[in-house]
Each structure stands twice: as structure tokens, then as C-alpha cells.
Amino acid sequence: MLAKIDTVITSRCTLRCKNCNMFSPYAKETCDFPFERLKENFDAFFASVDFVYEYTLLGGEPFLHTELGRILHYLMERYGECIGRINLISNGTVVPSDDVLSLMQQHAMTVHISDYTATVDYKKRLAAVEQALAAHGIEYYVIPNNVWKDVVYPRDTYRAEDPAGHMRICGHSTHSVDDGKLYWCDPAFAAECFTGFPSQPDDFLDLRENQRTHDKDTAARNIFRYLLGDVNERGCMSICERCAGIGRDNDREIPAGVQMEKGGR
């Protein structure tokens, strides 16, 4: 059993936050990940995992994904008994479609809304999202997001003196399953996928290879070891050398949700 796993389903977003720690504004091209790719990803994960308490879908803005209803339906129909709850993380700018609202209501899904209205003016849109969720009896939480840690990457240069120690105290507890691979944190996948960061083969656990080369019990133990921080012999992912993280060794606090200037960074 695992506590929490995330999967990024889109790089598209309604906001362009300069300090986004998913780096989506820095993607050369934004896109929704195709359903077939996500389906294969879910299959690779649950081939070695019997149960996860929370499975979270995020972006970008997940409610922009044109096949979100199909994604949610597949997760619940195929792996509903293996998932305690499905969560979606939104910025509260997009009212979900009727079919998505119905699916979330039917399967008791939860929406976590990061509220950036202290920086970005979209209170009316946020109220419309809340109204739609409430009308369908969908559990949701609005979390005021006023302050972020500046992770620096990819806007500027940061070099960790002790990358392994830096990773151990980083506040990211958002283990990510994407493209059939297990990443210690969501930003590790996002940096690789959206900004072209050169991840190394030992930065992630290839779930398909793990399944092919080990029996199910050993494959599951390999996943547990990875999630406990035993990621490789170096004791850290390559991105830890460049990302300032959100741990106690990062004192760079900045306003949340500050938008990039048009045509610039």
C-alpha cells in the first residue's frame, strides 16, 4: 500500500506563473498527454502496486484536458478498487464539463483548489467553479496560496552544495508516476518533460523494467525503497543539483502566482 501518488496529465494552464514549480510556462509547446499514454502509465503502476490511498491528477490545469472524462472513467473502472480517492488539483479558473462533474460526483472525487486571487484577479471565475462543484455535491477545498518558495530553476542558476542532503530535507512529498516511470517528485518529471532537463537513467524507477525483471513482491519492494529516498547510489536525483526545492534550506520566499510578462519571462 502507498499513501499518495501523482500524475501530470497536461502542461496546458490558464495561468503563466513565473515561479511555477511545475515549469509549465517554460514548455516550448504545451499539450494534453494522450489518453493512451496515460492509460499505459496507470497500467504500469498498478501492475506492481495493490493499493494507493490517494491518486492525484494535476497539470498545468487538469480541467483543460479534453479527455479528462475518459481518463477518470478508465481509472475508476479499471482500478477503482485499488484507489482510496482520486484528487484533482486546480487553480479554480475552469468550470469542469458536465460529464466530468458527473463522474466526480459518482465516484466521490475531491478537488483541491489553489487560490491565487490575492495576486491574479479571477474571483468571479473561482466562485463559478465553487458553485458548480457544490451543486454536484463534490467535496472541494480552497487553499489560499499567497507565498511560495522560489525554486530558482529554470530562470536562474542554483547549485546545491550537498544534493543528497538537499533532497532529504526538501518539502516535496509529491511522488510522481509519469510515462511509465516513478519520479521522486513532480518537478523532476516536469523539468525533464517541459524544459528538457537531462535526467539520468538512475534518476527514476522504470516501472515496466522493474516489472519485467522482478517478481511482484520484489518489484513492490523496489518501489518502496525508491519512495523512501533510496533513489540511486548518488542519493539524489540530478534535478536536486539545480532546483532549490521547498525545504528548510530554502529561504527564498516570493508572492505566489505572479504572472510572466507577455512575450517574456
Side-chain angles (χ1 to χ4, degrees), residues 161-177:
E161 294 181 3
D162 176 15
H166 177 55
M167 192 192 91
R168 285 195 297 272
I169 62 174
C170 183
H172 279 299
S173 58
T174 53
H175 308 303
S176 187
V177 173

Side-chain angles (χ1 to χ4, degrees), residues 34-262:
F35 170 76
E36 288 301 325
R37 167 176 168 165
L38 293 169
K39 174 180 176 293
E40 292 174 4
N41 183 69
F42 301 143
D43 293 345
F45 176 71
F46 284 108
S48 301
V49 174
D50 293 324
F51 191 85
V52 58
Y53 286 101
E54 294 186 8
Y55 204 120
T56 301
L57 304 179
L58 67 156
E61 171 52 54
F63 289 128
L64 288 177
H65 200 297
T66 57
E67 293 191 286
L68 180 57
R70 190 180 181 192
I71 294 166
L72 296 177
H73 179 77
Y74 182 80
L75 259 181
M76 290 307 303
E77 287 298 310
R78 184 71 178 85
Y79 299 112
E81 294 183 356
C82 304
I83 302 172
R85 180 179 293 272
I86 292 178
N87 300 323
L88 295 99
I89 296 181
S90 171
N91 59 29
T93 61
V94 178
V95 177
S97 64
D98 289 340
D99 67 319
V100 167
L101 286 167
S102 296
L103 277 169
M104 289 194 295
Q105 179 186 37
Q106 179 183 352
H107 297 293
M109 299 178 189
T110 302
V111 180
H112 296 263
I113 300 174
S114 296
D115 178 2
Y116 303 123
T117 57
T119 306
V120 186
D121 184 14
Y122 65 93
K123 291 181 180 179
K124 289 184 178 179
R125 281 185 285 169
L126 176 57
V129 172
E130 289 189 69
Q131 183 177 6
L133 296 174
H136 285 77
I138 297 168
E139 185 176 21
Y140 71 92
Y141 301 92
V142 178
I143 306 168
N145 228 309
N146 300 323
V147 178
W148 281 346
K149 292 287 187 77
D150 184 359
V151 299
V152 182
Y153 181 86
R155 296 172 296 97
D156 207 342
T157 301
Y158 171 85
R159 287 291 186 274
E161 294 181 3
D162 176 15
H166 177 55
M167 192 192 91
R168 285 195 297 272
I169 62 174
C170 183
H172 279 299
S173 58
T174 53
H175 308 303
S176 187
V177 173
D178 286 282
D179 197 24
K181 304 168 186 174
L182 179 62
Y183 294 80
W184 170 255
C185 66
D186 296 336
F189 166 75
E192 176 187 313
C193 186
F194 300 158
T195 75
F197 180 84
S199 296
Q200 301 303 309
D202 64 352
D203 286 333
F204 53 79
L205 180 65
D206 188 318
L207 294 173
R208 299 183 186 94
E209 181 67 17
N210 186 43
Q211 180 192 3
R212 280 195 299 267
T213 56
H214 300 93
D215 60 66
K216 187 171 182 179
D217 288 342
T218 303
R221 285 195 294 270
N222 290 340
I223 291 172
F224 275 114
R225 279 198 296 267
Y226 183 90
L227 294 179
L228 289 172
D230 186 10
V231 296
N232 52 38
E233 291 184 0
R234 292 177 287 129
C236 67
M237 300 174 299
S238 300
I239 189 62
C240 297
E241 300 174 8
R242 297 280 306 280
C243 177
I246 58 174
R248 64 178 183 272
D249 59 342
N250 182 358
D251 60 0
R252 303 170 180 83
E253 288 195 347
I254 52 176
V258 173
Q259 298 297 286
M260 293 170 61
E261 297 178 5
K262 291 184 178 180

